[in-house]
Amino acid sequence: MRKTMGILVTGASGQLGRAVCAVLSKQNIPHLGTDSQSLNLLDSGAVDRAVADYRPEAVVHCAAYTDVDGAEGDPAAAFALNEGGTAALAAACAHVGAKLLYVSTDYVFPGGGDRPWRTDDPTGPLNVYGRSKLAGERAVQSALERCFIVRVSWLFSADGRNFVKTMLRLADSHSRLRVVADQLGAPTYAADLAPLLCEMLQTEAYGVYHAAGAGTCSWAAFAEEIFRQAGRAVTVEPVTTAEYGAVAPRPKNSRLCMDALDAAGFSRLPPWQDGLCRCLKALNALAKEEAAHGTA
């Protein structure tokens, strides 16, 4: 039987960090959730002291600079947190003998080809965000042997900012939306990913993994399914990446191969459409709760 442990979670106010803390609470596993206010990852001394004081057996590193377009204009900020903050955390883990799980991204790959990316495929990020996250991976691997690198894609949840909530917000004022149709990937529900990460922490199966919702779609197809399930009458106009004109270049092939999960005995995540259904139910429940408090 796998033992419980004290776990430190960074980025606990974000969509994945919240989900991880919720799973740990449900499993009665002692943990401490931190955010940018309670733990400044840019201050290596503060990071070292926090980890030394709590002395976790494991750390889940969800905190990150995630503004993909913003990183193009401010690469120093992206690298400061995604590489520098991660390096400080990895060093602190090494000091106390804690294992570390680093959440990375599909954006470490160049995005070509017509098959899902394997964990051992050559990396080659197209944008600053991807390069900063890859630098974080390398910082972890150079400091620790007891580490997990988990690359995820197209994360969404009922919390925080994400594509699902953006589409639903835009649906309130638009009957037609232009959405990119030539980028392929797998939407990943944070509440499905979090239990897998917590399971990993309680093993010694260190290494690099890919974890994403089962299935593949484009952003345009994702948007269409959001509106279909939510019962919103919005027409999606498929456009190319070039026509959309984002600041940062994005990989057109973000599909991830999950074979490493199979080899280690971990379960794959459910289909992304199923995760979307449960996310929409969670959002509806939150809306009803907010309405009830507003009229109380």
Side-chain angles (χ1 to χ4, degrees):
M1 183 176 180
R2 292 168 177 171
K3 65 180 180 179
T4 59
M5 59 184 71
I7 295 176
L8 179 70
V9 182
T10 70
S13 61
Q15 55 183 340
L16 182 56
R18 284 177 181 267
V20 168
C21 288
V23 171
L24 294 173
S25 294
K26 186 176 181 179
Q27 296 179 353
N28 295 315
I29 295 177
H31 63 281
L32 174 65
T34 66
D35 57 19
S36 59
Q37 301 301 311
S38 58
L39 177 58
N40 180 9
L41 291 168
L42 301 180
D43 183 341
S44 59
V47 172
D48 204 48
R49 288 190 297 272
V51 174
D53 289 345
Y54 189 62
R55 298 195 70 82
E57 292 188 51
V59 175
V60 187
H61 186 25
C62 298
Y65 184 107
T66 58
D67 183 350
V68 178
D69 287 334
E72 294 297 307
D74 194 358
F79 273 91
L81 183 55
N82 294 345
E83 180 184 25
T86 299
L89 188 61
C93 287
H95 292 160
V96 301
K99 62 181 77 172
L100 173 63
L101 189 153
Y102 174 70
V103 180
S104 191
T105 172
D106 55 296
Y107 280 21
V108 300
F109 293 111
D114 57 2
R115 64 165 176 80
W117 294 97
R118 296 189 295 259
T119 56
D120 59 353
D121 278 331
T123 53
L126 298 178
N127 52 45
V128 170
Y129 168 70
R131 290 196 291 274
S132 69
K133 290 296 289 181
L134 181 60
E137 287 189 14
R138 291 171 175 165
V140 170
Q141 292 169 319
S142 65
L144 295 165
E145 292 184 358
R146 301 173 69 231
C147 63
F148 307 86
I149 306 294
V150 185
R151 296 170 180 148
V152 307
S153 66
W154 299 17
L155 197 67
F156 68 92
S157 79
D159 299 304
R161 294 185 300 173
N162 56 70
F163 186 78
V164 172
K165 295 179 71 175
T166 296
M167 289 298 102
L168 292 175
R169 174 176 55 80
L170 291 174
D172 290 335
S173 56
H174 294 75
S175 60
R176 188 178 189 88
L177 290 170
R178 299 167 71 248
V179 186
V180 172
D182 61 352
Q183 296 174 24
L184 297 178
T188 307
Y189 185 31
D192 287 339
L193 177 61
L196 171 63
L197 302 185
C198 294
E199 181 184 3
M200 283 184 177
L201 286 181
Q202 299 178 68
T203 76
E204 307 298 320
Y206 306 116
V208 180
Y209 295 92
H210 291 167
T216 298
C217 66
S218 67
W219 288 110
F222 188 15
E224 288 175 340
E225 183 66 9
I226 292 168
F227 299 138
R228 188 191 70 80
Q229 289 197 23
R232 309 296 288 272
V234 178
T235 299
V236 174
E237 178 185 345
V239 297
T240 66
T241 299
E243 288 171 333
Y244 188 77
V247 174
R250 262 79 165 176
K252 291 192 176 182
N253 175 21
S254 279
R255 293 173 293 178
L256 298 174
C257 175
M258 258 69 76
D259 286 355
L261 291 178
D262 301 335
F266 296 118
S267 298
R268 296 192 181 201
L269 304 187
W272 64 266
Q273 297 94 331
D274 182 64
L276 173 61
C277 179
R278 285 177 282 116
C279 179
L280 292 175
K281 288 180 179 178
L283 283 169
N284 287 335
L286 284 173
K288 289 180 180 178
E289 184 179 344
E290 290 174 357
H293 286 310
T295 57

